[in-house]
Amino acid sequence: MRDRAGILISLAILLALCVAAPVVGEFWSGVFARCVTWMFLAISFTLAYSYANIPSVAQATVFGAGAYAAIWLAPTLQGNVTLMLLAGTVAGGLVAAVFGLLLLRMSHSGAAIGAIIFAVTGSILGNAAVSVTGGADGLPLPALNFHLLGVVVAAGPNNTMLVLSTALLAILLIGFWYVSGTSTWRIVRAVQQNPVRAQVLGYNAALFRVVVFTVAGCVAGLGGALYALISRHVAIDVVSLSMSLKSILWAAVGGVTSVYGGPIGVLLVQLASEILARWTVRVDLIIGVMLVLIALWLPQGIMGLLKRPDRH
Amino acid sequence: MQAKQNQAFRVEGVSKMFGAFQALNDVSLGVSHGEILAIIGPNGAGKTTFVNIVSGVFGPSKGRVLLEGSDITAFSPQRRTRLGLSRTFQITSLFGDMTVAEHMQLAVRGGDPHGDERAELLEQMGLAGSVARPVDTLSHGDQRILEMAMALATKPKVLLLDEPTAGMSVAETDTMIQLICDRLRGKVGVIVIEHDMNVVTQTSDRVTVLAAGAVAASGSPEEVLRDPLVKELYLGSAAGH
Ligand SMILES: Nc1ncnc2c1ncn2[C@@H]1O[C@H](COP(=O)(O)OP(=O)(O)OP(=O)(O)O)[C@@H](O)[C@H]1O
Ligand SMILES: [Mg+2]
């Protein structure tokens, strides 16, 4: 079941960001670039929640693992951006695999509480290990000569980084679009809808869920590594529960049943916050009201507007 | 009856506790290759619990499950299916937004790459015209027939049918009886849970009566239905159905 409208809309949004960036100036390019890294996080939540069936309220912890891995390993990897991104992806996948194996042993609501405990524990441990994580002050990205495929690139909230993250996200989305039409993805959907039924057809439901959750972790980890390169700094709040809750918010606004909702959700919420912040101090209040309205009238988020009515 | 060792499937001394409630109490029974055994019994007798234990949805508190002589008690549901033990569900259990064709593709697990076997199965079961339809647009009867087609597509040696005719019209029930007689009798070891005595007498070689989690009677359909204890236990309470 490939969603052609979904992929086209999300690719159009990414293209629009890259085209707009040189026009709107450095500040907004930086905002866009950070938004793109959060899109990875929002998509990661959607994959975990809607396809691994794990209500993971700890996705920012996984994102943070990717960010810290990139920063810790940057000197060893001598500023090789490809390897730093790979390190973030692997770190996210490993943390998610561990979380996933533990969360799968719990009931659905138990897993939500379990994930909150992971997120809080992550923050506490992160703050305790100040020498390793920088605690609340965070760690800066070491000043190195960063290079990507032999070309020197500048880390930071710039257009190069925006284009790099956007290109990676586009590849990811196209890859997902392809996979979503395969017979393997049909099994993922079957497991997600009714794991016992899928097991009785001969499928290892738990294995499928852990694998999807681990892939979701890789996506968050990659986003985290990009975030480290763009922000040139990571602090423990990046891996905090409040950031995870934000990822749920983005996914919900875009539509938590569609991977393509993530980019729309992040842009809507973050741009609205940036713009509102210039007019009022009550940004959170307005965003909160917006969320309640979406929960009431658009439970499937923006992507829900695209669902063909003949199927539902 | 064949020697116990030759049975396709057998459970020995199976008990199940849900907390302090005993849903099954020391149940032993078996079915031979090609034989159809009906299990009847009043609501809450433990029939679905039995199917769940046999298919591995949950484990027994005590006892063993044997498939062709090997102990599969500790095996996962998927491993049992891959070994040739399949089941259907009392409450229709399909993937709402997928089509009939997609369900059959799931059921063959990558076997039947050209789809010939699937097409033939659907043809024989009268679903050939519905392949492209999402299953939630099918009639209840067709949904149950699809459950059966999926179970058959897994190529079972032993098949458990949990009330295959539940909620079906008289005509749909007749189709199901035909399917059981034509496709299963003499080919697959079948345990069919059934409330409809008409279905039981037309399809089954033997009948076991389950009451309050224990085997209350066993024998040919004629013997069992004549048994006064069974009339009292089962038909008395089933009159309300
Ligand atoms: N998961 C469970 N937890 C607790 N009790 C259960 C569970 N499953 C079944 N029971 C109880 O076990 C008893 C047997 O239930 P079961 O579903 O096996 O009956 P049944 O013979 O299939 O009945 P019916 O004819 O209504 O389908 C019932 O009293 C039921 O409430
Ligand atoms: Mg039942």
Side-chain angles (χ1 to χ4, degrees):
Chain A
M1 228 181 32
R2 295 192 174 115
D3 177 359
R4 195 181 315 174
I7 181 82
L8 289 178
I9 290 174
S10 44
L11 291 180
I13 289 175
L14 296 183
L15 187 64
L17 286 183
C18 289
V19 171
V23 184
V24 292
E26 227 170 88
F27 171 79
W28 285 103
S29 315
V31 172
F32 290 171
R34 278 199 191 83
C35 280
V36 173
T37 67
W38 290 328
M39 290 175 190
F40 285 86
L41 178 55
I43 289 171
S44 166
F45 176 78
T46 300
L47 279 173
Y49 179 78
S50 292
Y51 294 101
N53 233 352
I54 297 177
S56 177
V57 194
Q59 285 313 90
T61 309
V62 181
F63 181 87
Y68 271 109
I71 286 190
W72 287 330
L73 291 174
T76 317
L77 300 174
Q78 295 170 332
N80 184 326
V81 171
T82 313
L83 293 181
M84 286 169 66
L85 296 179
L86 193 64
T89 309
V90 171
L94 284 176
V95 171
V98 172
F99 281 5
L101 287 171
L102 294 170
L103 292 174
L104 268 192
R105 303 175 149 266
M106 307 173 189
S107 68
H108 193 73
S109 48
I113 293 172
I116 293 176
I117 293 172
F118 289 161
V120 172
T121 310
S123 293
I124 294 172
L125 290 179
N127 277 316
V130 182
S131 56
V132 190
T133 63
D137 295 335
L139 277 190
L141 182 71
L144 295 164
N145 289 319
F146 292 102
H147 52 96
L148 173 70
L149 306 173
V151 181
V152 173
V153 291
N158 54 44
N159 281 336
T160 314
M161 281 297 156
L162 171 65
V163 172
L164 172 64
S165 351
T166 310
L168 289 173
L169 185 58
I171 292 169
L172 179 77
L173 288 170
I174 292 169
F176 175 79
W177 180 80
Y178 174 77
V179 169
S180 66
T182 60
S183 52
T184 308
W185 195 252
R186 183 182 303 129
I187 304 170
V188 170
R189 284 199 292 143
V191 165
Q192 177 257 326
Q193 285 185 34
N194 190 338
V196 170
R197 188 66 176 103
Q199 280 184 293
V200 167
L201 286 174
Y203 297 106
N204 188 338
L207 180 69
F208 273 90
R209 290 174 67 195
V210 167
V211 169
V212 172
F213 191 69
T214 303
V215 170
C218 290
V219 171
L222 174 59
L226 285 166
Y227 178 88
L229 280 163
I230 288 168
S231 294
R232 288 176 297 188
H233 182 266
V234 188
I236 277 300
D237 350 323
V238 176
V239 302
S240 75
L241 186 58
S242 67
M243 189 66 169
S244 287
L245 295 178
K246 226 168 184 179
S247 75
I248 300 176
L249 195 158
W250 296 323
V253 170
V256 79
T257 54
S258 167
V259 162
Y260 310 113
I264 303 176
V266 171
L267 265 199
L268 270 183
V269 175
Q270 290 313 114
L271 292 188
S273 315
E274 284 288 348
I275 293 167
L276 286 171
R278 310 188 160 204
W279 304 99
T280 168
V281 287
R282 298 199 177 81
V283 176
D284 290 342
L285 181 70
I286 298 174
I287 298 280
V289 170
M290 185 171 122
L291 262 189
V292 172
L293 295 181
I294 284 185
L296 284 177
W297 280 293
L298 266 185
Q300 305 247 38
I302 305 291
M303 291 309 288
L305 293 171
L306 296 175
K307 284 263 159 67
R308 277 167 295 156
D310 57 347
R311 291 292 296 269
H312 287 274
Chain B
M1 207 201 286
Q2 282 178 301
K4 283 180 180 178
Q5 294 86 312
N6 290 341
Q7 284 186 319
F9 168 79
R10 181 149 191 87
V11 297
E12 284 174 359
V14 162
S15 298
K16 180 69 185 176
M17 305 294 293
F18 289 119
F21 175 73
Q22 181 139 32
L24 288 177
N25 183 5
D26 197 18
V27 173
S28 297
L29 56 83
V31 64
S32 308
H33 293 282
E35 185 189 29
I36 301 186
L37 168 70
I39 298 182
I40 64 173
N43 292 116
K47 306 183 295 295
T48 297
T49 303
F50 176 80
V51 174
N52 281 335
I53 286 173
V54 170
S55 57
V57 172
F58 39 69
S61 309
K62 240 195 272 167
R64 303 200 300 159
V65 181
L66 305 164
L67 183 66
E68 295 189 312
S70 15
D71 190 331
I72 59 164
T73 318
F75 288 10
S76 65
Q78 60 268 21
R79 189 155 173 209
R80 294 177 199 218
T81 304
R82 286 165 181 266
L83 289 172
L85 181 74
S86 198
R87 71 170 282 190
T88 64
F89 289 79
Q90 177 173 1
I91 296 164
T92 309
S93 183
L94 299 170
F95 308 110
D97 62 344
M98 292 192 208
T99 63
V100 170
E102 287 182 295
H103 278 79
M104 293 305 285
Q105 279 165 348
L106 280 172
V108 296
R109 293 200 309 278
D112 187 27
H114 302 294
D116 306 337
E117 289 170 30
R118 276 172 278 159
E120 191 191 327
L121 250 177
L122 289 176
E123 184 70 46
Q124 287 173 356
M125 303 192 109
L127 286 175
S130 308
V131 275
R133 283 173 62 181
V135 292
D136 51 12
T137 68
L138 297 180
S139 71
H140 174 74
D142 281 350
Q143 290 183 351
R144 297 209 64 93
I145 287 178
L146 175 59
E147 283 250 8
M148 179 84 148
M150 288 166 74
L152 286 174
T154 68
K155 301 227 176 92
K157 296 172 188 157
V158 173
L159 179 56
L160 291 103
L161 304 171
D162 195 354
E163 302 201 22
T165 67
M168 278 188 162
S169 70
V170 176
E172 288 168 339
T173 303
D174 284 341
T175 310
M176 188 57 90
I177 292 173
Q178 275 310 310
L179 279 175
I180 294 174
C181 293
D182 297 349
R183 301 274 330 191
L184 301 177
R185 166 161 292 164
K187 300 182 180 100
V188 178
V190 177
I191 295 181
V192 53
I193 313 286
E194 195 44 77
H195 274 305
D196 186 334
M197 286 308 136
N198 190 25
V199 179
V200 172
T201 49
Q202 289 191 58
T203 59
S204 310
D205 302 309
R206 280 188 302 127
V207 178
T208 288
V209 183
L210 209 58
V215 173
S218 232
S220 72
E222 296 74 29
E223 278 165 19
V224 168
L225 294 184
R226 257 189 276 114
D227 189 330
L229 172 76
V230 172
K231 282 187 180 152
E232 159 94 29
L233 256 174
Y234 180 69
L235 300 180
S237 73
H241 269 271

